[in-house]
């Protein structure tokens, strides 16, 4: 699509056709959907005598479904294989270069947003280039199919019409298939690839949650030994806004106790939002002066030291 000839006259242009005859053939190929839009574009290319960039919103946002919708099935396959592979290769090369050349100068908190921004810029640039040449591409397809129809059926107008309606027009099935493929790809990313990225970050957050809560519990236990009561007014500032630590005489779902230290995970962003609100609770047993741990996390997430009741 990005390597369209800019010959003069445009490729496959049938000079002997009258304007009325050319418009009729265009109408058969385009179909009823957005017919006036494409007729206007085709007339512009015919008058200027060469192909030029325009703007096509559908191609910018949903190029692959649009190709299937317009029955460009083989082109859709080539675009998805070659085009997406080229985008992915470009993103990979740029990210690898940036990783070694500049990423060390970026604060840790901004490294992932920077990577996403680089990938998005490359992807949007590609979409921008495709959108600029889509009308020229579709015009070229129309002229090619019209040339084929005239060559294969020079005297049979009905056969020409059948050919153009078969090769042109729109396909709601193709449009639905395009979105279904997108949905399947997103599902695969969510089920297969997202956990690969999320798991190390999840382990890091859970380790911090346990370490911070355990450190706070040690401080509370020391104060408890000195005063004989739960130090609910003890200032606890662990310097981590993702783990909120609170001291109380009891906690929901905890057995009979007189002192608890609760670490609550908060302010965790995608893809770990599901951890927000999860807790680690260290609680004191008055009868034997021991501390135990419980957690709202599941068995795979909870530290081995915290046994849920």
């Amino acid at each position: 699509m990005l390597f369209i000839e800019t010959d003069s006259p445009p490729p496959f242009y049938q000079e002997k056709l009258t304007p009325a005859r050319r418009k009729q053939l265009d109408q058969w190929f385009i179909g009823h959907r957005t017919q006036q839009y494409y007729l206007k574009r085709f007339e512009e290319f015919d008058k200027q005598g060469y192909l030029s960039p325009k703007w096509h919103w559908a191609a910018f946002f949903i190029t692959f479904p649009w190709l299937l919708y317009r029955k460009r099935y083989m082109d859709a396959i080539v675009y998805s294989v070659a085009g997406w592979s080229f985008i992915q290769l470009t993103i990979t090369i740029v990210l690898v270069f940036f990783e070694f050349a500049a990423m060390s100068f970026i604060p840790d908190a901004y490294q992932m947003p920077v990577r996403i921004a680089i990938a998005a810029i490359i992807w949007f640039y590609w979409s921008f280039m495709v959108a600029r040449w889509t009308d020229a591409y579709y015009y070229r397809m129309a002229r090619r199919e019209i040339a084929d129809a005239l060559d294969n059926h020079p005297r049979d107008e009905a056969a020409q019409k059948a050919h153009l309606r078969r090769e042109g027009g729109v396909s709601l099935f193709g449009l639905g298939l395009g979105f279904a493929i997108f949905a399947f790809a997103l599902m695969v990313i969510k089920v297969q690839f997202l956990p690969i990225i999320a798991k190390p970050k999840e382990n890091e957050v859970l380790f911090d949650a346990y370490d911070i809560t355990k450190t706070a519990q040690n401080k509370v236990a020391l104060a408890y030994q000195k005063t004989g009561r739960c130090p609910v007014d003890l200032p606890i500032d662990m310097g981590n806004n993702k783990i909120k630590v609170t001291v109380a005489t009891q906690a929901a779902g905890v057995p009979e106790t007189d002192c608890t230290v609760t670490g609550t995970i908060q302010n965790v962003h995608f893809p770990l939002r599901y951890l927000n609100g999860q807790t680690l609770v260290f609680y004191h047993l008055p009868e034997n002066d021991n501390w135990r741990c419980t957690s709202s996390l599941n068995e795979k997430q909870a530290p081995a030291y915290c046994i849920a009741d």
Side-chain angles (χ1 to χ4, degrees), residues 58-227:
F60 179 75
F61 288 108
I62 50 170
T63 308
F64 182 70
W66 178 84
L67 286 169
L68 294 177
Y69 178 61
R70 284 291 165 180
K71 298 183 181 179
R72 303 294 94 198
Y73 303 119
M74 186 58 65
D75 292 340
I77 294 174
V78 173
Y79 173 80
S80 62
V81 175
W84 290 349
S85 298
F86 176 78
I87 296 172
Q88 293 166 4
L89 178 61
T90 304
I91 291 174
T92 301
I93 293 174
V94 173
L95 284 177
V96 169
F97 173 80
F98 193 84
E99 199 77 26
F100 285 97
M103 191 60 75
S104 59
F105 301 102
I106 306 296
D108 292 344
Y110 298 103
Q111 288 186 3
M112 184 55 67
V114 167
R115 295 186 183 101
I116 295 174
I118 291 173
I121 289 171
I122 295 173
W123 187 280
F124 277 114
Y125 176 77
W126 173 266
S127 299
F128 172 79
M129 294 300 296
V130 169
R132 291 179 73 237
W133 286 99
T134 293
D135 286 339
Y137 155 80
Y138 194 57
Y139 170 88
R140 186 185 188 280
M141 294 299 101
R143 291 293 169 263
R144 188 188 69 184
E145 296 298 344
I146 288 172
D148 288 345
L150 295 177
D151 288 343
N152 296 334
H153 314 285
R155 301 177 181 274
D156 191 342
E157 187 172 297
Q160 295 171 6
K161 182 178 181 181
H163 174 93
L164 294 175
R165 287 190 169 180
R166 182 178 64 254
E167 299 298 329
V170 298
S171 170
L172 294 178
F173 172 78
L175 181 65
L177 178 62
F179 283 110
I181 293 175
F182 273 163
F184 176 76
L186 291 175
M187 184 186 69
V188 170
I189 292 172
K190 179 181 178 181
V191 175
Q192 296 294 331
F193 296 103
L194 197 58
I196 297 176
I197 300 173
K199 188 60 179 177
K201 296 183 178 295
E202 177 189 282
N203 292 338
E204 181 180 346
V205 172
L206 294 179
F207 175 82
D208 288 344
Y210 178 82
D211 183 61
I212 290 172
T213 308
K214 179 61 177 174
T215 301
Q217 181 265 320
N218 290 335
K219 294 181 179 180
V220 170
L222 183 60
Y224 186 96
Q225 288 178 353
K226 292 181 179 179
T227 62

